[in-house]
Structures are given as structure tokens and as C-alpha cells.
Amino acid sequence: MASLKILGVRVDKVDMLEALCLVDSYIQEGSFHHVITLNAEIIYQAQFNEELKDLINGADLVTPDGSGIVWAAGYLGEPVAERVTGIDLMLEICKQAHHNGWRIFLLGGAPGVAEEAAQALKKDQPNINIVGTHHGYFQEREEEAVLAQIRKAEPDLIFVALGAPRQEFWIRAHREQLPVKIAIGVGGSFDVVSGRVKRAPLWMQKMKLEWLARLLKEPWRFKRMLSLPKFVLMVIKSKSELEAKKKLEKKKKLP
């Protein structure tokens, strides 16, 4: 599987079909696999958090989630075919689960959201086997009870919607206790699937403007969005420094 590094953080060069094929192979293997759908905001955070950077680089699959990732990959001369977002990957996996009988657990969101998301998924995929749900507002003292519920349900896959990067750290911390083949962090996907939050229109998705639609609906995200231009400047600077280094090395080799 080909991959690239953006500011020292790994991104795998997979499209949706390739990601789904890998998911199927992970299910067949039977051992635990951690899948991360990565956006520019998290890469920016990883520049100041080595633990987060190491976590991402150690995942089994890191998909390019977000227009910032697609832009950076192209700018660095290593383009990716398309975005593979958390919500799109989740929905496509659920279609496969509908046909393959994979057992799914939904963890996260506000109380009631995971249940509503499960109902919506069952409406679209009547044969889907969602074996359990639990909200993400549990306290640390309740964590063992939540894990016990997951173990009892014996899912093949768990979608964790605790927000990034909390969900990634939670998955890593409990990977030995999770009886699953695949764990995927999906951010706010349950809110959208349940119908509580409307996704950006298709034309905005195609134009890679979902971030703008989100900001217009939730202006309080403005401060978080400031990481995006900072990410762009970091990528531009990193490319300039790499090119300068290559020129210097080439100059040294000249007689």
C-alpha cells in the first residue's frame, strides 16, 4: 500500500474501493485493526503532539479525509485519487455489512444519537446487524461497563464517534479490550446519519467546500478553522525547505 508523509504524518494513497477491500481483508484476518480517517486539522495538531503523530503513523490504515489533505498531497507532488471521509467510509462499510453479515457497534454522540443513527442505517440497509449502541458522554468510572457491553455484543466492527483526536486515543487505549477486527473513529458522523445535522449539499461536497458549510452552520468553530491556513503555510514552508535542501545537496556533488 503506497503512502506519503505530510508534515511527518502518514497518509495512505487509497481510494474508497481500495479502502473497502482492505476493510474486507481485515475482517478476514480476524485480528485487531485501527483505521483513521485523517484531516488537515489533526495533522496540524500532530505538529505539537508527538504522541498523536506516533499514533497516526502506527495505524493500520490512514485515509485522506478532507480537502486540505488532497490539496497538500497534490502540492507535494504525491496526489491521492480522492477523499475517503469518515462518514462516507462508514456508510460504504455498512452497505458491505448488510451483505456480509458483519456485526456493528456504534459508540459515541450525545445520548440518543447513536440509537437514532442505528435506526436510520437499518432503514437504508434492513439486514444490517447492529448489535449495540452507546452514547459518548460516559464518565471514566463508567468506562468498564461500556467495554463490558461491547464485549458482550461481540461486534466485528466498532464506529467510535467521540471527536478527533479523543476517539483515536480511546481506541488505542482499549484495543486489547475491544473484541473487534476493526475500530474506526468517525467524528460527528452519527449526528449526520441520525438526521440531527444536515450534511452540506452535494455540490459543496464535490467542490470540497464541506468545511465552509460546517462553519456557516456552526460559527463557533471559527477558532478551530484557523488551523487550516496555518496547515497550508506549514506545507508550503516544508516543501520550500525540502527543495532548498535538495539544491544544496546537488551543489555539493558538483565537481
Side-chain angles (χ1 to χ4, degrees), residues 70-166:
V70 176
W71 168 81
Y75 182 78
L76 295 172
E78 298 193 61
V80 295
E82 61 181 352
R83 294 190 306 158
V84 181
T85 68
I87 186 169
D88 290 326
L89 182 59
M90 174 183 167
L91 293 174
E92 290 299 323
I93 288 174
C94 285
K95 291 177 184 177
Q96 297 297 317
H98 167 85
H99 296 295
N100 296 323
W102 297 339
R103 298 165 63 84
I104 292 175
F105 196 101
L106 306 182
L107 174 67
V113 172
E115 289 86 346
E116 292 171 18
Q119 291 170 8
L121 290 169
K122 288 176 182 177
K123 186 176 180 181
D124 289 339
Q125 312 289 340
N127 292 329
I128 193 170
N129 192 8
I130 298 177
V131 295
T133 64
H134 197 286
H135 65 77
Y137 283 60
F138 52 87
Q139 302 297 315
E140 187 175 348
R141 65 180 182 275
E142 302 170 300
E143 202 160 60
E144 184 50 47
V146 173
L147 290 165
Q149 180 185 343
I150 297 168
R151 287 194 292 268
K152 186 176 180 180
E154 297 183 340
D156 296 304
L157 304 101
I158 184 168
F159 294 110
V160 183
L162 300 177
R166 180 191 168 200

Side-chain angles (χ1 to χ4, degrees), residues 144-246:
E144 184 50 47
V146 173
L147 290 165
Q149 180 185 343
I150 297 168
R151 287 194 292 268
K152 186 176 180 180
E154 297 183 340
D156 296 304
L157 304 101
I158 184 168
F159 294 110
V160 183
L162 300 177
R166 180 191 168 200
Q167 61 201 16
E168 279 68 45
F169 283 115
W170 190 90
I171 289 170
R172 187 183 68 171
H174 300 291
R175 59 182 295 157
E176 300 297 330
Q177 300 160 284
L178 293 171
V180 299
K181 284 95 173 177
I182 302 174
I184 307 177
V186 292
S189 297
F190 296 174
D191 292 317
V192 177
V193 173
S194 68
R196 291 200 184 191
V197 173
K198 289 200 173 187
R199 196 173 182 185
L202 188 58
W203 68 268
M204 293 190 82
Q205 295 178 40
K206 289 181 177 178
M207 293 183 70
K208 302 180 178 64
L209 292 174
E210 278 192 279
W211 63 271
L212 178 59
R214 190 86 179 265
L215 181 59
L216 292 173
K217 285 183 180 179
E218 301 172 343
W220 56 267
R221 287 180 172 272
F222 176 74
K223 286 187 178 180
R224 284 180 57 181
M225 291 290 185
L226 289 176
S227 64
L228 299 179
K230 292 176 182 178
F231 166 80
V232 169
L233 291 174
M234 279 186 169
V235 172
I236 293 172
K237 182 181 178 182
S238 71
K239 184 178 179 180
S240 297
E241 289 175 347
L242 181 61
E243 290 176 343
K245 185 178 179 181
K246 286 181 178 178

